[in-house]
């Protein structure tokens, strides 16, 4: 049953949707460039992938630090930072190989060992001083074969401090990267050869997709792939087994993911002689500006050109954030839940609603009529009978529908 808000939304979508547009992005031969792209405004920046070695997260408690493994750098955890003087030769077989997360910008290679609390991997946060003190020693084999040892000395009042040298201790350098110099960016960058910061990203609000080469875990081996990662705040739903022409965006409800590689690289496969593409796959992208887009990937030029071709179509220019505020919100804790029991925190503009929980095949596994609800109302649900899996929690009321996703382990 459709509610008036959903009907008005459909009318707005009809009025604001745009024609399908074919776009080709070039990362150039061997995917040597990274391309920052806005679905609304096109290419925002094209930068050489090889111009940086370290990337320091500018906002967020995680203080993630990436290593540019896509250009050929290899990174290892050596041990505690106190081993600096004792580490004079490269022994990678005795160290732990590290990699950037494929799914989150918050988990760079140097964030290895982070516990989600005060241990950030490369260092430990002091709640009294608000200083992160470096605790770990890393080694990096640069793409040209030179070995460096590296420690992040700390993060103090918005400035990263770090020290690096040749593995034998020679050519020791200290660096600082000031967050305010990269205001409104996701990361600030450092070139270990030039001993200099690199300001290369557009403002975070200006791009949604990054066309790039990155390392992906393919059967236990980290392998360079070419594909698409998305920005913080962007959400993407991948729908398979659908008709790309007749598919409707409501089919993506409950399937949006913040994993930055939801588009990734697997929209193409190589059959031994040519790249082929699924003809039953579409992506829906909720951009950083709130607009909703439909994407279908149709071509890859391979390493010779690095071109990636897709169609994009504006489904709705209405901010999904504005719609969410009209519909209200529902949050789940804990999520995932181990025993099937979870608390729902409801913030909806109604006193009554129908709560339903569906599996991803659309089958209802729980239903309850809610009364006496409104702002920050807590209700408990029990899905122990439904078994492990992913579920869509749906709260339908007179002004709209609020949804979220719940994982039962």
């Amino acid at each position: 049953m459709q509610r008036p808000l959903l009907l008005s939304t459909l009318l707005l979508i009809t009025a604001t949707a745009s024609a399908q547009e074919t776009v080709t992005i070039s990362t150039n031969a061997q995917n040597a460039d990274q391309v920052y792209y806005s679905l609304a405004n096109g290419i925002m920046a094209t930068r050489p992938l090889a111009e940086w070695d370290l990337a320091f997260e500018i906002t967020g408690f995680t203080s993630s630090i990436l290593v540019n493994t896509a250009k050929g750098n290899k990174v290892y955890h050596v041990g505690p930072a106190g081993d600096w003087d004792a580490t004079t030769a490269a022994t990678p077989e005795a160290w732990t190989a590290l990699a950037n997360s494929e799914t989150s910008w918050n988990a760079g290679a140097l964030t290895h060992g982070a516990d989600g609390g005060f241990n950030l991997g490369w260092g430990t946060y002091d709640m009294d001083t608000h200083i992160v003190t470096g605790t770990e020693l890393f080694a990096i084999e640069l793409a040209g074969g030179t070995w460096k040892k590296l420690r992040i000395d700390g993060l103090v009042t918005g400035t990263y401090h770090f020290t690096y040298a040749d593995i034998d201790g020679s050519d020791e350098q200290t660096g600082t990267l000031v967050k305010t110099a990269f205001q409104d960016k996701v990361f600030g960058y450092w070139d270990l050869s030039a001993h200099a910061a690199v300001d290369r990203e557009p403002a975070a609000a200006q791009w949604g997709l990054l066309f790039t080469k990155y390392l992906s875990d393919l059967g236990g081996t980290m392998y360079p792939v070419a594909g698409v990662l998305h920005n913080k705040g962007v959400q993407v739903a991948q729908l398979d087994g659908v008709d790309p022409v007749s598919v409707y965006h409501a089919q993506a409800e409950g399937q949006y993911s913040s994993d930055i590689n939801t588009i990734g690289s697997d929209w193409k496969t190589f059959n031994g002689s040519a790249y082929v593409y699924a003809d039953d796959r579409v992506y829906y992208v909720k951009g950083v500006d709130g607009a909703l887009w439909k994407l279908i990937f149709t071509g890859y030029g391979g390493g010779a050109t690095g071109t990636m071709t897709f169609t994009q179509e504006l489904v709705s220019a209405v901010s999904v954030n504005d719609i969410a505020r009209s519909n209200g919100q529902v949050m789940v804790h804990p999520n995932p839940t181990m025993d099937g029991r979870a608390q729902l925190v409801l913030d909806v503009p109604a006193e009554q609603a129908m709560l339903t929980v569906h599996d991803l095949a659309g089958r209802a596994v729980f239903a309850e009529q809610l009364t006496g609800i409104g702002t920050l109302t807590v209700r408990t649900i029990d899905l122990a009978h439904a078994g492990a899996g992913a579920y869509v929690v749906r709260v339908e009321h007179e002004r709209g529908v609020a949804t979220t996703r719940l994982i039962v382990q």
Side-chain angles (χ1 to χ4, degrees):
M1 179 171 60
Q2 301 293 331
R3 291 289 187 253
L5 177 64
L6 300 182
L7 177 59
S8 63
T9 300
L10 289 174
L11 293 174
L12 236 153
I13 287 171
T14 302
T16 59
S18 64
Q20 189 179 83
E21 176 187 4
T22 299
V23 179
T24 296
I25 300 294
S26 176
T27 61
N28 284 316
Q30 306 307 312
N31 308 111
D33 288 337
Q34 294 183 301
V35 180
Y36 295 87
Y37 184 76
S38 163
L39 288 165
N41 301 309
I43 294 173
M44 304 308 296
T46 299
R47 301 289 301 201
L49 180 146
E51 70 180 347
W52 65 278
D53 296 294
L54 303 176
F56 296 83
E57 191 174 29
I58 301 304
T59 61
F61 180 74
T62 50
S63 300
S64 174
I65 303 176
L66 310 178
V67 176
N68 191 353
T69 51
K71 89 178 213 182
N73 293 341
K74 298 179 181 178
V75 57
Y76 301 85
H77 178 238
V78 176
D83 290 347
W84 178 270
D85 290 335
T87 303
T88 58
T91 56
E93 65 280 359
W95 300 334
T96 301
L98 305 178
N100 303 317
S101 169
E102 295 179 61
T103 60
S104 175
W105 299 116
N106 299 334
L110 301 195
T111 318
H112 168 75
D115 62 6
F118 297 141
N119 177 6
L120 306 185
W122 58 265
T124 303
Y125 175 76
D126 188 307
M127 205 165 77
D128 294 325
T129 64
H130 305 295
I131 291 173
V132 184
T133 300
T135 59
E136 307 304 315
L137 176 61
F138 304 94
I140 299 177
E141 183 183 12
L142 299 180
T146 301
W147 280 91
K148 297 284 185 180
K149 54 185 176 182
L150 165 72
R151 66 172 186 254
I152 310 301
D153 299 312
L155 174 57
V156 184
T157 59
T159 299
Y160 288 96
H161 299 264
F162 48 99
T163 303
Y164 56 100
D166 289 344
I167 202 70
D168 62 5
S170 61
D171 192 26
E172 182 173 309
Q173 304 283 334
T174 59
T176 58
L177 188 135
V178 182
K179 285 187 175 186
T180 54
F182 299 90
Q183 193 166 350
D184 301 325
K185 309 292 178 72
V186 180
F187 287 95
Y189 296 82
W190 190 266
D191 183 334
L192 290 172
S193 298
H195 311 304
V198 185
D199 187 357
R200 60 192 305 276
E201 276 187 12
Q206 294 179 346
W207 64 277
L209 304 179
L210 176 63
F211 292 76
T212 186
K213 179 167 61 177
Y214 64 97
L215 262 59
S216 179
D217 187 347
L218 302 179
T221 300
M222 300 304 294
Y223 192 80
V225 297
V228 186
L229 305 177
H230 67 249
N231 196 359
K232 292 182 180 181
V234 173
Q235 291 188 313
V236 179
Q238 175 182 316
L239 297 184
D240 289 313
V242 298
D243 179 353
V245 176
S246 63
V247 64
Y248 179 52
H249 71 90
Q251 294 174 244
E253 183 177 304
Q255 299 190 54
Y256 285 93
S257 174
S258 296
D259 289 352
I260 63 174
N261 66 340
T262 304
I263 296 176
S265 65
D266 63 353
W267 46 269
K268 58 188 183 320
T269 55
F270 191 69
N271 66 6
S273 59
Y275 284 96
V276 294
Y277 317 94
D279 59 8
D280 61 352
R281 174 180 296 184
V282 302
Y283 298 94
Y284 284 100
V285 180
K286 294 180 181 179
V288 292
D289 59 357
L292 181 64
W293 297 82
K294 174 183 172 183
L295 273 62
I296 302 171
F297 282 81
T298 58
Y300 177 56
T305 65
T307 55
M308 304 184 204
T309 300
F310 59 100
T311 63
Q312 66 175 59
E313 181 180 350
L314 178 62
V315 176
S316 173
V318 179
S319 169
V320 294
N321 296 323
D322 291 340
I323 294 174
R325 281 191 290 271
S326 298
N327 292 351
Q329 297 184 57
V330 54
M331 294 169 284
V332 183
H333 179 79
N335 193 7
T337 172
M338 303 301 293
D339 60 3
R341 288 178 58 84
Q343 288 189 322
L344 305 183
V345 181
L346 306 170
D347 184 7
V348 297
E351 294 183 355
Q352 300 182 41
M354 186 65 195
L355 165 65
T356 54
V357 181
H358 302 262
D359 63 20
L360 296 187
R363 294 182 292 265
V365 299
F366 183 92
E368 181 182 349
Q369 182 70 44
L370 302 178
T371 59
I373 60 174
T375 301
L376 299 182
T377 304
V378 178
R379 292 290 188 271
T380 300
I381 61 173
D382 189 344
L383 298 184
H385 66 283
Y391 297 90
V392 177
V393 179
R394 177 184 174 91
V395 178
E396 184 174 5
H397 52 87
E398 61 184 3
R399 297 185 60 183
V401 178
T403 63
T404 191
R405 199 171 189 182
L406 171 62
I407 305 298
V408 177
Q409 294 184 338

